[in-house]
Amino acid sequence: KNEVEQSPQNLTAQEGEFITINCSYSVGISALHWLQQHPGGGIVSLFMLSSGKKKHGRLIATINIQEKHSSLHITASHPRDSAVYICAVRGSQGNLIFGKGTKLSVKP
Amino acid sequence: ETGVTQSPTHLIKTRGQQVTLRCSSQSGHNTVSWYQQALGQGPQFIFQYYREEENGRGNFPPRFSGLQFPNYSSELNVNALELDDSALYLCASSLAGGSYEQYFGPGTRLTVT
């Protein structure tokens, strides 16, 4: 079992839909990251959080430390949101431990 | 714009050869981490350097080695390349400390034939 599990692996949505991506982890963490990766490889950090909830534009990230679970929500999805969304937790060496990612495709 | 750059963008090598990948960290960042991302997978931690010393390593063999320079740029060296080394190699820079955000470079796509 991977230390970081994401679901779903693939997600197709219509423009305007509300999207939720889930992340569960099995290790103790100091922080959890949500990242976005576009075709070609570049990774952009969306959120870093250790408790509660953060919001940036149409993106919302929540974390429940007791349940070791985090969610990334996208409101009013748009085709430009199409990307791979990756959850990662910080390991004991300061490195990031990544999930396999959720490939999101938003259709116009 | 994160300020982290990597070179080259793409690289094709033959099995058994050696390769050096380079990363220029974001200004002021003294910690660099390297990750390997196979197709369809999440990135895997290779190692981390802090102030020119390796201070963390993932489950990669010794033929994966690195350097960090006084200006905090870094190199990833891979000897005796194997077909399974074909992947996207990402570096990420950050300030030291467990809670600091990591900034990723665009990656180097390595193909081993």
Side-chain angles (χ1 to χ4, degrees):
Chain A
K1 186 175 175 6
N2 293 328
E3 292 172 293
V4 180
E5 296 277 357
Q6 285 186 239
S7 63
Q9 286 189 319
N10 293 282
L11 183 57
T12 300
Q14 287 299 126
E15 183 173 357
E17 285 186 359
F18 180 83
I19 288 163
T20 296
I21 300 170
N22 295 300
C23 174
S24 296
Y25 54 93
S26 58
V27 294
I29 68 168
S30 59
L32 182 142
H33 298 248
W34 281 102
L35 309 116
Q36 182 191 58
Q37 186 171 33
H38 281 281
I43 291 179
V44 175
S45 178
L46 299 174
F47 295 103
M48 181 175 66
L49 66 166
S50 54
S51 65
K53 174 180 171 178
K54 286 191 175 181
K55 185 176 188 293
H56 184 256
R58 296 180 293 105
L59 301 178
I60 302 167
T62 63
I63 188 169
N64 185 317
I65 297 294
Q66 287 73 30
E67 295 186 2
K68 294 187 174 180
H69 181 270
S70 176
S71 293
L72 176 68
H73 305 285
I74 304 175
T75 62
S77 60
H78 189 276
R80 65 175 175 264
D81 297 326
S82 298
V84 176
Y85 292 84
I86 306 175
C87 169
V89 300
R90 189 166 296 279
S92 59
Q93 299 183 83
N95 58 294
L96 291 179
I97 303 169
F98 292 81
K100 290 187 176 182
T102 295
K103 186 175 182 179
L104 171 65
S105 178
V106 181
K107 305 296 185 186
Chain B
E1 182 62 45
T2 66
V4 181
T5 60
Q6 290 186 244
S7 63
T9 306
H10 296 89
L11 197 54
I12 299 174
K13 288 286 190 178
T14 303
R15 190 172 50 185
Q17 286 187 316
Q18 178 266 344
V19 69
T20 297
L21 310 181
R22 295 179 173 84
C23 173
S24 177
S25 299
Q26 184 151 319
S27 178
H29 285 185
N30 53 21
T31 302
V32 65
S33 302
W34 283 91
Y35 297 89
Q36 179 196 66
Q37 185 177 24
L39 202 60
Q41 302 294 315
Q44 297 290 316
F45 175 61
I46 303 174
F47 46 58
Q48 178 175 278
Y49 276 79
Y50 169 66
R51 291 187 175 179
E52 304 175 56
E53 296 286 332
E54 183 181 300
N55 74 337
R57 191 177 184 92
N59 189 26
F60 280 80
R63 60 189 184 84
F64 285 78
S65 63
L67 283 173
Q68 187 183 29
F69 301 101
N71 66 353
Y72 301 138
S73 65
S74 68
E75 290 180 353
L76 164 65
N77 298 289
V78 187
N79 293 321
L81 283 166
E82 300 176 0
L83 297 179
D84 284 349
D85 296 333
S86 296
L88 180 69
Y89 288 85
L90 295 157
C91 75
S93 74
S94 63
L95 291 169
S99 60
Y100 287 113
E101 192 166 344
Q102 294 196 359
Y103 294 85
F104 285 84
T108 293
R109 174 76 61 186
L110 173 66
T111 301
V112 182
T113 62

